[in-house]
Amino acid sequence: SSQIRGALNAVRSLVEGSGRAGGELPRAVVTHSSGNHGQGIPAYIVVPRTAPRCKQAAIRAYGATLVPCEPSDESRAETAARVVQETGGVMVHPNQEPAVIAGQGTIALEVLEQAPEVNAVVVPVGGGGMIAGIATAIKALRPDVKVFAAEPCNADDCYQSKLRGELTPSLNPRETIADAVRTNIGPNTWPIIRDLVDDVVTVSEEEIKRATRLVWERMKLLIEPTAGVGVAAALSEQFQAFPRDLEHICIVLCGGNVDLSSLTWLTEGPG
Ligand SMILES: Cc1ncc(COP(=O)(O)O)c(C=O)c1O
């Protein structure tokens, strides 16, 4: 998952910071996540009970302690705060922490290096850490490149915020197959999104499923539906209506944790 970039940068910064200050290492790191941010570091990860089982299993397999919470931003924050108190750990916010945002920005550096002909980048948005990092790097180095956010209609707080010109979280976002972007953008990512993201494209659940399947079948890449949000956005009528000088479009295929047991043909029927 793309989430390792931000998490790694944040934990490295903590370790280097405590070394410079001559202090002790943090006793623990604590974060909350829809599942993808939780993989790769030994830590306490607060995860919604509804997160795909494959993400929960991977977090445990990497050696982290999984702490279940309810599937809402509020429950995530409350549970993480309790775990910080109990463990004496340091909270690393999965999308509002500046070091996480900066780590996610390395995606843009690689895109510009590998595909300098790019005219536009399409990025799925949950808490907005990934797009904030990418937009900061892109607009600093190549302001001519457009940055588009992609969001499920069922969790469209970024779209609503841009429309109103103020941070507008969804208090009760609907269910979406793109579980990793059900969460809201926040106080650190909103100003960057407001100033540097060109537009937000929203897509239906049907469009997300169709786009995810297209990538599996035609590209032979195992993306998760959250990555399909970006593909669906680029294929949407709204996107196609944008000016035609967008010839080279980069879609960030941000994750590939698919609950294979949710594919009914694998588990049902003879064989
Ligand atoms: C696969 C995947 N894509 C996109 C995102 C969204 O990133 P952000 O919350 O920084 O917008 C996440 C976040 O967990 C993710 O796991």
Side-chain angles (χ1 to χ4, degrees):
S1 163
S2 54
Q3 300 300 303
I4 184 64
R5 294 165 184 263
L8 189 63
N9 193 43
V11 172
R12 268 197 189 151
S13 308
L14 274 176
V15 171
E16 285 169 15
S18 60
R20 270 198 303 276
E24 285 178 17
L25 284 176
R27 269 193 255 170
V29 283
V30 183
T31 191
H32 55 78
S33 169
S34 58
N36 279 333
H37 191 80
Q39 298 174 33
I41 46 169
Y44 293 86
I45 317 293
V46 175
V47 178
R49 288 178 204 286
T50 49
R53 267 180 299 167
C54 65
K55 295 188 182 183
Q56 302 196 29
I59 290 171
R60 291 200 178 91
Y62 283 122
T65 303
L66 191 149
V67 185
C69 71
E70 297 310 314
S72 71
D73 282 1
E74 252 178 19
S75 174
R76 281 189 189 202
E78 280 169 17
T79 312
R82 177 171 53 78
V83 177
V84 165
Q85 271 211 326
E86 285 170 6
T87 60
V90 175
M91 177 69 195
V92 177
H93 196 285
N95 45 61
Q96 300 304 305
E97 162 63 44
V100 170
I101 296 173
Q104 303 294 51
T106 62
I107 295 170
L109 302 183
E110 284 178 46
V111 170
L112 294 180
E113 192 181 304
Q114 292 174 31
E117 69 278 21
V118 67
N119 307 123
V121 184
V122 180
V123 190
V125 173
M130 182 162 59
I131 197 166
I134 289 176
T136 303
I138 292 271
K139 296 299 181 181
L141 298 170
R142 286 279 307 277
D144 59 303
V145 175
K146 303 267 183 238
V147 178
F148 295 107
E151 236 186 356
C153 298
N154 283 3
D156 67 347
D157 62 292
C158 182
Y159 175 77
Q160 296 296 343
S161 299
K162 284 285 262 189
L163 197 64
R164 289 163 202 226
E166 62 179 326
L167 182 58
T168 311
S170 310
L171 298 181
N172 277 312
R174 285 172 284 169
E175 276 306 317
T176 171
I177 190 165
D179 61 289
V181 286
R182 192 162 173 262
T183 185
N184 286 306
I185 61 174
N188 289 353
T189 51
W190 162 239
I192 302 175
I193 291 170
R194 181 192 59 206
D195 297 344
L196 302 183
V197 170
D198 291 279
D199 222 325
V200 187
V201 179
T202 54
V203 290
S204 69
E205 295 298 291
E206 211 35 59
E207 288 177 291
I208 298 169
K209 287 180 196 167
R210 227 181 300 134
T212 304
R213 186 172 181 156
L214 181 75
V215 172
W216 290 353
E217 289 182 347
R218 301 283 173 83
M219 299 178 70
K220 329 307 178 194
L221 284 178
L222 186 70
I223 61 164
E224 64 184 84
T226 297
V229 172
V231 182
L235 294 173
S236 70
E237 277 179 26
Q238 191 189 344
F239 192 87
Q240 298 296 325
F242 287 147
R244 284 295 81 209
D245 55 350
L246 302 180
E247 222 185 320
H248 301 288
I249 298 158
C250 168
I251 305 167
V252 179
L253 299 179
C254 45
N257 285 303
V258 179
D259 223 336
L260 294 177
S261 58
S262 71
L263 302 177
T264 46
W265 59 265
L266 270 181
T267 49
E268 282 173 4

